[in-house]
Amino acid sequence: MSYEVKEISQLEREVVFSVSWEEFDKSMQKQLVHLKQTVAIDGFRKGKVPDEILLKKYTETLQDQAIKDISLRCWSDYLASNKNIVLATQPMYNPKLDIKNKILSIDYFYELSPEINLLSLESLEITKFEYSINQSDFTSMKEKVIKEHGNDQSQIAFEKLGFIGDDAEQKFDLAIKQTLLQEVEFKLFQKNKESILEALLNEFQFSLPPSILAKAITTEERRLGHELHEKAGHTHKAEEPCDKHVELDSFTKTLIEKRLKSDWILKHIVNNFNIIPKQEVIKKLISQTAQSTQDPEKAIRQLVQNDYWRNYFFTIALEIEFVDHIFNRVKIVSKPVKLSDLIDTNNK
């Protein structure tokens, strides 16, 4: 077996394997032996069917299996001799069999994962947004909640929100402080994650594999088309694919590309540095979410049993660890922000 590699684009490659006819014939004999052991035909017991009958009846099946077997071995040997290859997508292969001239070639098409040099992380300067909650923030938030739920009457707000008894105001104050702290903490995390990804995308200029970007754009176009189709009063069965689509403008396509690049670089760094989420952070996120319900203990049990929420909390905890890891590696440029930059402080 010999092969030739063709560079289609920066990340796209085609490798063409030339397979000797002897190798193909050998693989055909191998498939024939296997078939003979499993097939029974009228007049012949299993394992006793003559080869010429099997070849005549199952020619295409034997050829397909032989080519598949050779293709897998060709690709496996190719990867073994090119260990530096990092695939971005599953390869596709296209065999070409010419029986008359006894020629078999197998074309493999694959896309490489973009390469970035993470050594330059140490020299990067990235903005880190910071904010410290003070007493006036708590007071303003308390007044805002009382105005929204009690029409400026605290007792009405307490009762409406479920805080009853002599210690109603103390419980209310504690809830406001916890909520305010959680909101600010989460918004800072999101803002700093965006800051990091923006800096990394500017530092590491790379292209996405064409098929990944094309698939994401097509998926969004179909989603929007399906949405408009339903709004117009049309319906289609869930098991039937919707062929309606909307042509996205260049700005939207750029946003999709940026999101995909951000996701890719985050995953690349997480894998490269073996970043894993802390269990205590996951538990904290679950607990915080459950506290907003009437029965926190029941909510916690339901959350940890739900696949969607388990994956959600795992992802957020992983991204929190990613943010901390990056800030520990780069040069930080601190930037104070206003509370209004993080949450709605409008007290109307």
Side-chain angles (χ1 to χ4, degrees), residues 297-311:
E297 291 186 4
K298 180 180 178 180
I300 289 175
R301 290 195 299 271
Q302 292 175 337
L303 289 170
V304 298
Q305 292 172 2
N306 185 287
D307 288 342
Y308 169 82
W309 284 108
R310 281 208 310 271
N311 291 333

Side-chain angles (χ1 to χ4, degrees), residues 10-201:
Q10 183 181 359
L11 295 174
E12 296 173 294
R13 301 288 186 273
E14 181 183 11
V15 54
V16 181
F17 296 94
S18 298
V19 182
S20 68
W21 199 251
E22 289 76 16
E23 188 172 354
F24 172 68
D25 189 58
K26 183 178 178 181
S27 184
M28 282 285 287
Q29 291 302 317
K30 175 183 173 183
Q31 301 305 320
L32 182 61
V33 170
H34 176 73
L35 184 66
K36 193 169 187 175
Q37 295 171 347
T38 57
V39 171
I41 296 179
D42 290 345
F44 299 97
R45 289 179 296 163
K46 188 182 294 185
K48 299 298 181 179
V49 183
D51 291 354
E52 56 271 19
I53 294 179
L54 290 175
L55 284 169
K56 184 177 181 180
K57 187 176 180 62
Y58 297 103
T59 300
E60 290 188 5
T61 300
L62 290 167
Q63 289 175 351
D64 289 344
Q65 290 299 320
I67 290 172
K68 184 178 179 180
D69 177 60
I70 293 171
S71 298
L72 290 175
R73 283 191 282 113
C74 285
W75 183 245
S76 178
D77 291 345
Y78 176 71
L79 289 181
S81 59
N82 295 273
K83 294 182 179 180
N84 60 327
I85 291 178
V86 181
L87 297 175
T89 56
Q90 287 295 320
M92 297 181 294
Y93 75 94
N94 177 36
K96 298 173 183 177
L97 179 63
D98 183 346
I99 297 291
K100 182 179 179 180
N101 296 304
K102 295 186 176 182
I103 296 174
L104 172 61
S105 66
I106 302 170
D107 296 359
Y108 262 92
F109 174 83
Y110 64 93
E111 293 176 304
L112 295 168
S113 186
E115 293 184 12
I116 59 175
N117 181 14
L118 295 178
L119 295 177
S120 61
L121 276 178
E122 316 292 337
S123 61
L124 275 182
E125 287 188 355
I126 299 180
T127 300
K128 182 178 183 181
F129 297 99
E130 297 176 337
Y131 186 81
S132 297
I133 298 174
N134 54 49
Q135 183 61 33
S136 65
D137 295 332
F138 160 67
T139 303
S140 297
M141 185 59 65
K142 180 177 179 179
E143 291 174 353
K144 180 175 182 286
V145 174
I146 291 174
K147 189 168 186 177
E148 288 177 351
H149 297 275
N151 197 22
D152 283 336
Q153 298 184 49
S154 58
Q155 197 60 41
I156 294 176
F158 297 162
E159 293 177 0
K160 195 172 182 180
L161 294 170
F163 299 101
I164 303 172
D166 296 336
D167 60 348
E169 186 168 8
Q170 292 178 332
K171 292 179 180 177
F172 176 78
D173 288 353
L174 179 60
I176 291 294
K177 287 179 179 177
Q178 289 177 338
T179 301
L180 182 61
L181 180 63
Q182 289 170 15
E183 285 191 32
V184 169
E185 187 179 59
F186 190 71
K187 292 295 184 180
L188 275 175
F189 149 69
Q190 289 183 315
K191 203 170 181 63
N192 283 322
K193 185 183 81 169
E194 291 172 4
S195 175
I196 288 173
L197 290 173
E198 192 71 37
L200 294 179
L201 288 174

